[in-house]
Amino acid sequence: MERLSVSTRKRREMVEITSLVAKTAKGSGVQEGCCLVFVPHTTCGLTINENADPSVSDDILRTLEKLVPARGDYRHTEGNSDAHVASTLVGHSVLVPIHKGNLVLGTWQGIFLCEFDGPRNRQVWIKMLPSIQDQPVEL
Amino acid sequence: MERLSVSTRKRREMVEITSLVAKTAKGSGVQEGCCLVFVPHTTCGLTINENADPSVSDDILRTLEKLVPARGDYRHTEGNSDAHVASTLVGHSVLVPIHKGNLVLGTWQGIFLCEFDGPRNRQVWIKMLPSIQDQPVEL
Amino acid sequence: MERLSVSTRKRREMVEITSLVAKTAKGSGVQEGCCLVFVPHTTCGLTINENADPSVSDDILRTLEKLVPARGDYRHTEGNSDAHVASTLVGHSVLVPIHKGNLVLGTWQGIFLCEFDGPRNRQVWIKMLPSIQDQPVEL
């Protein structure tokens, strides 16, 4: 399992990690299968969305902030309840197909770490799940 | 990896694809494992929910439309920011167990493509992840 | 595939199932890979979030209740539309890495069954996805 580091710079931010994940997946040598991308945190998440126009990420973050305001009637006393809730709405992992040795995504898709309580240093775990037919048995 | 096509007919619509996925999974010959269903798009999603009463899908779509209105203070200029945000809330993949050669779901569960910016032709990618114990080594 | 039972006690409740999942994963003997945790229901979900302070779960449930109220302009006539919608927002599965024979999660992470229409007896399905390199071929 690969454990990568990603630094975030703002409290709420979407950081694209597509090339980092693609490079790690390629380096694994897995030809067919899937790649699990997982964050071991509870105040950030992972999503897939458009990476061509950065205003899409802005709209996602701003909508989440409206739905789950930073200040609200929360019981958790650390001041980051919104970040916990947003991470559950977005999710903590994405699973992406590997085909012919490469991560395959749609034309407009990128993988983003969604920071909801930064800036922080975050870990991104990558676990390859090879399909069996791609692994010749050497006798 | 199988790449299937699904046509949608409305701007926002939930299209059940359970039988399409089940047939593809069955055809793969995989006896035990999981089936990744993935959409390579950024304005539609995939979810699992009740397929017996179509009013459940209506309630999901109508609630999402309240939470993420079609018209709002968005920055992305293509007029489909709501679709991008909704796809991140719903997610772009589902992972379903395969047992004894069949896709296994709960009694009331169906797999739905959630169209948020149709009508369009959409792709659904299916990648089988067999568990290793099901693959006898032929010597 | 393991099928476990979990009882819930309230209409909306987050029940931590981390140790149940970890024990099942350990018992499978899989050394490297992933563990799919899946609920075969349409009115509950699964998420990962903080398990140290129970007020985090409270904040998640209370925010979901604000976003998707129990009583609303719903069409499904069984009175649990909110539960169906919330389950799609949270999702029906989590996929967690297995490393050196153990489930690996972040320091603050726990796995929760999110009950939205209890109390009920719920099933939790667990499917192991071993990475191939961990399965020596016995000749």
Side-chain angles (χ1 to χ4, degrees):
Chain A
M1 188 164 72
E2 290 288 324
R3 296 170 197 246
L4 309 173
S5 285
V6 174
S7 294
T8 61
R9 296 179 187 185
K10 300 179 188 172
R11 179 154 200 268
R12 290 196 168 210
E13 182 183 14
M14 283 174 67
V15 181
E16 191 177 0
I17 59 170
T18 314
S19 60
L20 193 66
V21 175
K23 192 180 162 189
T24 305
K26 186 86 176 174
S28 74
V30 171
Q31 293 301 302
E32 297 291 329
C34 288
C35 173
L36 172 67
V37 191
F38 182 94
V39 282
H41 305 288
T42 59
T43 54
C44 70
L46 286 170
T47 196
I48 289 172
N49 220 302
E50 183 182 321
N51 61 0
D53 177 359
S55 67
V56 170
S57 295
D58 284 352
D59 288 336
I60 293 169
L61 290 175
R62 293 167 76 228
T63 304
L64 281 169
E65 204 157 357
K66 281 182 195 171
L67 296 176
V68 191
R71 298 285 162 257
D73 178 23
Y74 300 119
R75 296 185 180 173
H76 184 53
T77 55
E78 293 181 14
N80 60 356
S81 286
D82 61 319
H84 286 289
V85 178
S87 77
T88 273
L89 291 178
V90 164
H92 296 84
S93 71
V94 295
L95 186 63
V96 183
I98 304 292
H99 186 53
K100 297 186 179 174
N102 290 299
L103 196 76
V104 277
L105 286 164
T107 310
W108 305 101
Q109 287 184 324
I111 304 170
F112 292 87
L113 185 148
C114 305
E115 175 62 81
F116 298 122
D117 192 31
R120 297 209 202 186
N121 291 318
R122 298 295 197 174
Q123 281 185 61
V124 175
W125 293 354
I126 297 182
K127 187 81 183 172
M128 303 303 295
L129 289 170
S131 301
I132 198 163
Q133 62 273 22
D134 310 310
Q135 305 290 328
V137 178
E138 303 287 338
L139 297 178
Chain B
M1 187 165 73
E2 291 288 324
R3 296 168 197 247
L4 310 172
S5 285
V6 174
S7 294
T8 61
R9 298 179 184 183
K10 300 179 187 172
R11 177 152 201 269
R12 290 195 168 211
E13 183 184 12
M14 283 174 67
V15 181
E16 190 177 0
I17 59 170
T18 314
S19 61
L20 193 67
V21 175
K23 193 181 161 189
T24 305
K26 186 87 176 174
S28 74
V30 171
Q31 294 301 302
E32 297 291 329
C34 288
C35 172
L36 172 68
V37 191
F38 182 95
V39 284
H41 305 288
T42 58
T43 55
C44 70
L46 287 170
T47 195
I48 289 172
N49 220 303
E50 184 182 320
N51 62 358
D53 177 0
S55 67
V56 170
S57 294
D58 284 353
D59 287 336
I60 293 169
L61 289 174
R62 293 168 74 230
T63 304
L64 281 169
E65 203 157 358
K66 280 183 195 171
L67 296 176
V68 191
R71 299 285 161 258
D73 177 23
Y74 300 118
R75 296 186 180 171
H76 184 52
T77 56
E78 293 180 14
N80 61 356
S81 286
D82 61 319
H84 286 290
V85 179
S87 77
T88 274
L89 291 179
V90 164
H92 296 85
S93 70
V94 294
L95 186 63
V96 183
I98 304 293
H99 186 53
K100 297 186 178 173
N102 289 298
L103 196 74
V104 277
L105 287 164
T107 310
W108 304 102
Q109 287 185 323
I111 304 170
F112 292 87
L113 185 147
C114 305
E115 176 63 83
F116 297 123
D117 192 31
R120 298 209 201 185
N121 292 317
R122 297 296 197 174
Q123 282 185 61
V124 175
W125 293 354
I126 297 183
K127 186 80 184 175
M128 303 303 295
L129 289 170
S131 301
I132 197 163
Q133 62 273 22
D134 312 310
Q135 305 290 328
V137 178
E138 304 287 340
L139 296 179
Chain C
M1 187 165 71
E2 291 288 323
R3 296 169 197 248
L4 310 173
S5 285
V6 175
S7 294
T8 61
R9 298 180 185 182
K10 300 180 188 172
R11 178 153 201 267
R12 291 196 167 211
E13 182 184 14
M14 284 175 67
V15 180
E16 190 177 0
I17 59 169
T18 313
S19 60
L20 194 66
V21 176
K23 191 181 161 190
T24 306
K26 185 87 175 173
S28 74
V30 170
Q31 294 301 300
E32 297 291 329
C34 288
C35 172
L36 172 68
V37 191
F38 182 94
V39 282
H41 305 289
T42 59
T43 54
C44 70
L46 287 171
T47 196
I48 289 172
N49 219 302
E50 183 182 321
N51 61 359
D53 177 1
S55 66
V56 170
S57 294
D58 284 352
D59 288 335
I60 293 170
L61 289 175
R62 292 167 76 229
T63 303
L64 281 169
E65 203 158 358
K66 281 182 194 170
L67 296 176
V68 191
R71 299 286 160 257
D73 178 24
Y74 301 119
R75 295 186 180 173
H76 184 53
T77 55
E78 292 180 14
N80 60 356
S81 286
D82 60 321
H84 286 289
V85 178
S87 78
T88 274
L89 291 178
V90 164
H92 296 84
S93 70
V94 294
L95 186 63
V96 183
I98 303 293
H99 186 54
K100 297 186 179 173
N102 289 299
L103 196 75
V104 276
L105 287 164
T107 311
W108 305 102
Q109 287 185 323
I111 304 170
F112 292 87
L113 185 147
C114 305
E115 175 63 82
F116 298 122
D117 192 32
R120 297 209 203 186
N121 291 318
R122 299 294 198 175
Q123 282 185 61
V124 175
W125 294 353
I126 297 182
K127 186 80 183 174
M128 303 303 295
L129 289 171
S131 301
I132 198 163
Q133 62 273 22
D134 311 310
Q135 305 291 328
V137 178
E138 304 287 339
L139 295 179

